[in-house]
Amino acid sequence: MPENSLSLSELNGQVSDAIRDHLPDTYWVRAETSDVRLNRNGHCYLEFIEKDARGQNIVARARGVIWNNVYEMLSSYFETETGQPFVSGLSILVRVSVDFHELYGFSLSVVDIDPSFTIGEIARNRQLVLRKLEEEGVLTLNKELTFPELTNRIAVISSPTAAGYEDFCDQLAKNPYGFVFYTRLFPAIMQGERSEPSVIAALEKIYAHKEHFDAVTIIRGGGSSSDLSCFDSYYLATNCAQFPLPVISGIGHERDITVIDIVAHTRAKTPTAVAEFLISHASKTAVELMDLQQRLVEKSGLILQSLQDKLGELSRRMIHSSRFFVREELSVVQQLSIILNHQAKRLLQAENHSVAEKSQYIHMASPENILKRGYTLTLKNGKIIKSATELSEDDIIETLFTDGKAESIITKK
């Protein structure tokens, strides 16, 4: 065995002495919290990590601890100042001492914390996301959508067990105007690491049936400010900003305004406030409709009265015109009657004259008149004989004279 060999504990002891000798003070360190765990004895164990500029790869890691007497004071102070508990995923500025334990190895012991740094980091991250959305031209897209006048088909993204969701539905159902709202829940996880993809998945399901809805509400009830971190997500924000239906946010915090609140069409403080907004909008629409109805009735009455007046005037003018027309037509008829009577008389006279002439001709050509002039008529069997060829021997013929008749027998022909 080499004379200069060391046991592991001896090596670790030297490392511990070296660190204590060269890093004796405390230091302010910027890092991100990870795997924060509170032990039953009151100690808080965690990891400090640092990521690259793109925030994808971890470039540094160190085990950390906050002893119970320090943690009780710092956690209360941190939550009071920032409005959120000390949890994983926070950008922090902490004052630490550098320790190396022979058994547990390297660690950083927290002795102080600067909450203003965390507040600034949250605000800075929000500004970075908002700036990116603005550069891409999508920041105000959802706000620019026209809110439907009739908005009563609501897609709701929320946890089905959330008290805020129940309050929202109850508020809509018991509205004082009796408006009917049709809501459909698209369940989602509303806090924690899985909340971002869960809410995005709910939006995608709504998009597949967007023609059946007028608006989308994203609601959650209460919770700590740290639970709002997913609502500062760029990917969730860009989905909401570009969604084709108006998005109404009501995530339950009056003080904290998230990126989703900024890109949404309308922001309400709480789920109940979202319901009140929808009821108020429906009431406004109803008032406008009633006003339009009243104006329509009044306008229709005026138009109807005007038409009735015009119809009365037209009726009077028609009666007057009809009387004038009848008088004119009667005058024409009378003139035509006189003309027809005159023409009828002339025609009758002409016909009488023609009849007289024909009567005279007939009289002159009648057999009686002919007989008076010395002529006779020969008949055979009652028929006038016009030619001798019509007679035969022994035929009995009858001769008519003006004053009588005589029978003869043909003896020779």
Side-chain angles (χ1 to χ4, degrees):
M1 177 182 296
E3 295 180 359
N4 59 350
S5 63
L6 298 173
S7 67
L8 178 60
S9 60
E10 291 173 336
L11 178 61
N12 283 352
Q14 292 185 23
V15 171
S16 178
D17 293 339
I19 290 176
R20 186 168 49 254
D21 293 339
H22 290 83
L23 298 172
D25 299 323
T26 57
Y27 306 89
W28 285 103
V29 177
R30 300 185 306 273
E32 180 180 324
T33 59
S34 176
D35 194 25
V36 176
R37 307 180 309 279
L38 184 62
N39 194 280
R40 287 181 298 178
N41 56 19
H43 305 315
C44 177
Y45 298 100
L46 71 157
E47 277 193 337
F48 297 108
I49 60 175
E50 179 183 346
K51 296 179 180 178
D52 60 20
R54 293 182 300 173
Q56 299 295 324
N57 300 315
I58 297 176
V59 297
R61 186 193 305 268
R63 187 169 60 87
V65 61
I66 309 176
W67 304 116
N68 58 358
N69 59 330
V70 178
Y71 178 76
E72 183 177 356
M73 177 185 63
L74 291 186
S75 62
S76 176
Y77 170 55
F78 182 83
E79 185 165 357
T80 300
E81 293 297 315
T82 64
Q84 62 182 28
F86 188 83
V87 293
S88 300
L90 299 176
S91 294
I92 60 172
L93 178 63
V94 289
R95 191 175 184 87
V96 299
S97 62
V98 182
D99 299 321
F100 189 88
H101 191 276
E102 289 83 352
L103 180 60
Y104 301 109
F106 177 79
S107 66
L108 301 177
S109 298
V110 177
V111 296
D112 199 359
I113 192 168
D114 183 0
S116 63
F117 176 83
T118 301
I119 295 173
E121 282 297 292
I122 293 174
R124 187 178 71 85
N125 290 333
R126 286 177 181 172
Q127 289 303 315
L128 289 174
V129 171
L130 291 173
R131 187 178 303 115
K132 186 175 182 180
L133 293 172
E134 186 173 12
E135 290 172 352
E136 294 174 352
V138 301
L139 181 64
T140 62
L141 286 182
N142 200 261
K143 292 183 179 296
E144 294 169 6
L145 294 176
T146 300
F147 205 81
E149 291 295 336
L150 182 60
T151 305
N152 66 337
R153 301 177 303 167
I154 313 300
V156 184
I157 299 177
S158 180
S159 169
T161 59
Y165 172 64
E166 295 179 2
D167 294 341
F168 170 80
C169 294
D170 187 63
Q171 187 81 359
L172 287 182
K174 297 180 180 179
N175 73 86
Y177 307 101
F179 297 139
V180 177
F181 291 91
Y182 303 95
T183 61
R184 178 179 173 183
L185 175 65
F186 290 82
I189 299 170
M190 302 305 289
Q191 63 184 46
E193 296 179 355
R194 294 189 296 162
S195 56
E196 177 187 352
S198 180
V199 175
I200 291 175
L203 284 171
E204 291 174 348
K205 291 178 181 178
I206 297 171
Y207 181 82
H209 305 282
K210 60 183 181 298
E211 66 276 6
H212 299 301
F213 300 101
D214 303 312
V216 178
T217 63
I218 302 177
I219 57 177
R220 64 188 294 276
S224 65
S225 298
S226 62
D227 295 335
L228 302 177
S229 59
C230 71
F231 298 104
D232 288 325
S233 157
Y234 163 77
Y235 296 105
L236 179 55
T238 192
N239 272 272
C240 289
Q242 298 180 84
F243 204 74
L245 296 176
V247 176
I248 309 170
S249 66
I251 56 179
H253 283 267
E254 180 177 355
R255 181 180 64 178
D256 299 299
I257 299 178
T258 67
V259 174
I260 296 303
D261 292 321
I262 295 172
V263 302
H265 184 282
T266 301
R267 182 227 176 196
K269 298 175 183 177
T270 63
T272 301
V274 173
E276 291 173 351
F277 168 77
L278 292 171
I279 295 169
S280 175
H281 179 76
S283 176
K284 179 182 177 182
T285 300
V287 170
E288 291 177 352
L289 288 175
M290 291 176 64
D291 180 60
L292 287 174
Q293 180 184 24
Q294 182 63 30
R295 289 166 58 189
L296 180 61
V297 170
E298 293 175 356
K299 189 68 174 178
S300 299
L302 292 174
I303 293 174
L304 183 60
Q305 184 61 49
S306 176
L307 291 175
Q308 286 177 340
D309 293 342
K310 289 182 179 180
L311 183 61
E313 178 63 23
L314 288 173
S315 177
R316 289 189 293 272
R317 290 171 59 185
M318 182 175 290
I319 293 172
H320 176 74
S321 298
S322 298
R323 289 175 178 173
F324 177 78
F325 178 76
V326 168
R327 287 197 299 268
E328 290 291 321
E329 291 301 313
L330 285 174
S331 176
V332 172
V333 169
Q334 289 173 355
Q335 292 178 3
L336 289 174
S337 178
I338 293 171
I339 294 172
L340 288 175
N341 286 336
H342 179 68
Q343 290 181 347
K345 287 180 180 179
R346 290 178 59 188
L347 181 61
L348 184 59
Q349 288 174 357
E351 289 298 321
N352 286 338
H353 180 70
S354 176
V355 169
E357 287 181 347
K358 290 178 180 180
S359 177
Q360 185 177 0
Y361 174 77
I362 292 171
H363 177 72
M364 292 295 294
S366 67
E368 291 83 359
N369 194 46
I370 292 173
L371 291 175
K372 287 180 180 180
R373 290 165 56 189
Y375 294 96
T376 63
L377 291 174
T378 302
L379 288 78
K380 176 184 175 182
N381 299 324
K383 295 182 178 180
I384 297 175
I385 301 301
K386 298 179 180 179
S387 173
T389 59
E390 297 180 19
L391 298 175
S392 302
E393 289 183 1
D394 297 327
D395 283 343
I396 298 175
I397 61 175
E398 185 178 16
T399 302
L400 298 179
F401 301 91
T402 187
D403 57 351
K405 62 180 177 178
E407 290 185 354
S408 302
I409 298 176
I410 303 300
T411 60
K412 185 177 180 180
K413 185 180 175 184

